[in-house]
Structures are given as structure tokens and as C-alpha cells.
């Protein structure tokens, strides 16, 4: 059993709970069903996981390809380092 979690620093928990009750999404419900502690950390305390190395690399590659394609079509010049 996991020990009780102390309230978040700042004491803004009731306001965030009211906000959570106003919106419902499939991802939030799935997270709640998988693990209530995970839901608490993600949506109540708003603790985010850092990006993985693969996700960061993929985002950079996507951005470079997007910039290259925009320059190729003539929409914007390709910025080169000086």
C-alpha cells in the first residue's frame, strides 16, 4: 500500500479539483482506470515527464525537414549560420 500523499505546495488543490471535474476526456479516464496515483501526479499536481531522447531527436528532425521544405517551396528563406 502506498502512503498518503501530502497536499501540493501552494495549497491550490481545491481549485484544480474543481477544474478537473468540469472537463472529462478519454485519456484522463484511461489514466484514472490504469493508476489513480499516476492520475494524481499528472492532472492534480501537474508533474510532467521529461521528453525521451528519441522523442526529442524526432522533433528536431521534423523541424529541420519542415524548414527545408518551406525553403524549397519558396515560402521562406533557409536560415544558415553565419
Amino acid at each position: 500500500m502506498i502512503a498518503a500523499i501530502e497536499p501540493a505546495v501552494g495549497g491550490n488543490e481545491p481549485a484544480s479539483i474543481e477544474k478537473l471535474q468540469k472537463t472529462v476526456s478519454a485519456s484522463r479516464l484511461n489514466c484514472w482506470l490504469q493508476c489513480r496515483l499516476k492520475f494524481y501526479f499528472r492532472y492534480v499536481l501537474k508533474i510532467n515527464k521529461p521528453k525521451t531522447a528519441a522523442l526529442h531527436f524526432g522533433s528536431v528532425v521534423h523541424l529541420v525537414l519542415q524548414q527545408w521544405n518551406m525553403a524549397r517551396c519558396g515560402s521562406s528563406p533557409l536560415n544558415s549560420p553565419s
Side-chain angles (χ1 to χ4, degrees), residues 10-33:
N12 198 12
E13 193 170 325
S16 64
I17 291 174
E18 289 176 9
K19 186 177 178 182
L20 284 172
Q21 290 174 342
K22 289 181 182 177
T23 58
V24 177
S25 67
S27 60
R28 285 186 182 183
L29 290 175
N30 284 331
C31 185
W32 174 263
L33 292 173

Side-chain angles (χ1 to χ4, degrees), residues 29-66:
L29 290 175
N30 284 331
C31 185
W32 174 263
L33 292 173
Q34 288 175 357
C35 179
R36 291 180 181 172
L37 190 59
K38 179 179 175 181
F39 178 88
Y40 181 75
F41 288 148
R42 183 175 293 172
Y43 295 109
V44 178
L45 295 182
K46 298 183 181 180
I47 298 174
N48 294 325
K49 298 189 299 186
K51 283 185 178 180
T52 62
L55 184 58
H56 180 69
F57 180 74
S59 298
V60 170
V61 168
H62 180 77
L63 181 64
V64 168
L65 289 174
Q66 181 183 18

